[in-house]
Amino acid sequence: MTWTFTDDLDEYLATAGAAVAARPAENTLLLTIAETLRRRGSDAYGEGAPRFGWWRGADGGVDGALVWTPPHAVMVGAVPAEAVAPLAEACGIFGSPAVSAERETAEALAAEWRRAGVAATTVVEQRLYRLAELTPPVPAPPGRARVATAADRELLVDWVNAFRRDTGQPAPGAGRAVDDRVSYGGLTLWEHEGTPVSMAGVSRPAAGTVRVAPVYTPPEQRGRGYAAAVTAAVSGAALEAGAEEVLLFTDLANPTSNGVYQRIGYRPVADRVEITVAG
């Protein structure tokens, strides 16, 4: 039983891709990050070279994986309990100040580091939701949804950057991300009287799933139901396009968004925790 690490995306996909795809909800971040790197290149998330890892269980089969795109947190997928201690020991090779994992895994990693005298602090707590039965808001706010186009690029880039600032994840490359999303109809605007008032995105399909993100409404337009309406619109469109599951993450520190998504049909799956470590 051991972790193996590589800088080679093709090797990672060939070795761990099927195991990751077998649990698409729990591994949604790993799936979409790897697909983005495959399509847009190794600098899609920053200038640092991505690294990948997988855990082999006692039977020799792959039973867990991770992806790291510096300067972001190491993203740990669904892994068995026996993989945690070896991962805590091996994480030093990443030099990353943060790790993101399902709550049980994150807490076990933190406990391992603390036993070794390394400080570990929770910085973000998120909840993964899965769409059960879509229930669009009634009454719907005024306006309508429309798929964004290249003509909306300037606004979309501004809003993606604003979303990243609001969620504490400023990063370069908003323009490339927007161009990629627009290329497959992956961003939708809610318009009121011809003016965009909210936005929701959806990832490319991966292992039968899509994930809604980002969802952004400018501060002056909030509290009017636009985010719920545009999220319901992209969720319904994803189902009509053949998605087997529609997922999204929320920040547990934001009770408003958690309530909004549950009202339109999303149900909790698991919590995800990001922790920072320092010697």
Side-chain angles (χ1 to χ4, degrees), residues 20-260:
V20 171
R23 301 179 66 178
E26 298 94 327
N27 290 322
T28 177
L29 290 167
L30 274 64
L31 287 167
T32 54
I33 291 170
E35 174 62 13
T36 299
L37 291 169
R38 188 186 68 80
R39 294 185 62 85
R40 290 168 46 195
S42 61
D43 62 347
Y45 293 96
E47 294 181 0
R51 297 203 75 183
F52 313 92
W54 56 87
W55 169 260
R56 290 191 185 275
D59 63 356
V62 175
D63 193 19
L66 61 80
V67 173
W68 181 42
T69 55
H72 305 285
V74 176
M75 291 290 174
V76 181
V79 298
E82 60 267 24
V84 172
L87 178 58
E89 193 172 328
C91 262
I93 69 170
F94 296 102
S96 173
V99 175
S100 173
E102 287 193 2
R103 184 180 297 278
E104 185 176 351
T105 299
E107 290 177 348
L109 281 168
E112 290 289 336
W113 283 319
R114 288 172 185 141
R115 276 194 287 271
V118 178
T121 305
T122 296
V123 292
V124 177
E125 294 180 289
Q126 294 181 310
R127 179 157 292 161
L128 176 64
Y129 286 89
R130 175 190 286 118
L131 182 61
E133 182 176 352
L134 181 61
T135 308
V138 178
R144 66 180 184 89
R146 72 165 176 85
V147 176
T149 70
D152 303 300
R153 187 180 191 276
E154 183 177 356
L155 174 69
L156 296 171
V157 171
D158 286 346
W159 281 8
V160 167
N161 278 323
F163 171 81
R164 290 177 175 182
R165 289 193 298 270
D166 284 357
T167 55
Q169 48 179 331
R176 289 180 65 192
V178 164
D179 292 341
D180 183 54
R181 290 294 181 97
V182 168
S183 72
Y184 64 91
L187 288 170
T188 294
L189 295 168
W190 190 268
E191 287 189 334
H192 179 216
E193 297 180 344
T195 299
V197 293
S198 191
M199 171 188 76
V202 65
S203 66
R204 293 179 187 272
T209 70
V210 299
R211 191 174 69 256
V212 175
V215 178
Y216 179 76
T217 305
E220 67 274 13
Q221 301 290 356
R222 293 174 187 172
R224 306 180 190 186
Y226 297 139
V230 74
T231 300
V234 298
S235 301
L239 292 174
E240 291 176 5
E244 297 171 15
E245 291 191 316
V246 184
L247 310 167
L248 60 77
F249 279 102
T250 64
D251 187 340
L252 283 174
N254 187 339
T256 299
S257 63
N258 282 270
V260 164

